Amino acid sequence: MIEWFSYAQIAVAVLAGVFCLVVGFSGRIPNDYTLGATALIEVLLVIQFVVALLAPAFGNDARGDVLEFYVYAVSALLLPAAAVFWALIDRTKWSTVILGVACLAIAVMVFRMNEIWLVQNV
């Protein structure tokens, strides 16, 4: 993982999560902005996943448990996709809230992935 990219990803996920929560609790249904913010989080996760796959080849090995890291990574990749799928099927304000919760969960998961990759020693 690239440390600055993971911190930027956490910041974007928190901003998108708060935005979706505010929009959802104001009674609005999912729209292009809330779905787009969640899709942006997914794109950043895909980039991070590709970087994590290639990083060991360039000498950037994980300090923590690699299996735990990839379980977090795959789960994080599935979460925004599932939230967007839900929002497209159930067009209520609660779907927008779920998009926000998913984005905030991604921020926590990326922080934990960063801890596993850069800080934790096995």
Side-chain angles (χ1 to χ4, degrees):
M1 286 187 59
I2 302 171
E3 189 172 10
W4 67 266
F5 185 72
S6 62
Y7 288 130
Q9 189 175 5
I10 292 167
V12 171
V14 168
L15 289 174
V18 170
F19 170 69
C20 289
L21 286 176
V22 167
V23 170
F25 283 127
S26 69
R28 311 260 330 251
I29 63 170
N31 56 30
D32 289 344
Y33 299 115
T34 56
L35 292 171
T38 309
L40 174 64
I41 301 304
E42 181 74 20
V43 169
L44 293 175
L45 283 170
V46 169
I47 293 169
Q48 187 72 271
F49 189 75
V50 170
V51 167
L53 285 175
L54 297 176
F58 296 101
N60 183 7
D61 293 323
R63 293 186 181 161
D65 186 14
V66 177
L67 178 63
E68 183 182 5
F69 174 82
Y70 282 110
V71 168
Y72 269 101
V74 171
S75 300
L77 283 169
L78 295 174
L79 192 59
V84 167
F85 182 69
W86 179 308
L88 291 174
I89 291 175
D90 181 31
R91 306 287 291 174
T92 64
K93 72 175 187 174
W94 295 111
S95 297
T96 309
V97 172
I98 288 171
L99 290 173
V101 170
C103 289
L104 292 176
I106 293 300
V108 173
M109 292 175 83
V110 169
F111 180 79
R112 178 65 183 135
M113 289 164 46
N114 194 35
E115 289 287 312
I116 293 168
W117 194 274
L118 298 172
V119 177
Q120 181 179 354
N121 288 322
V122 177

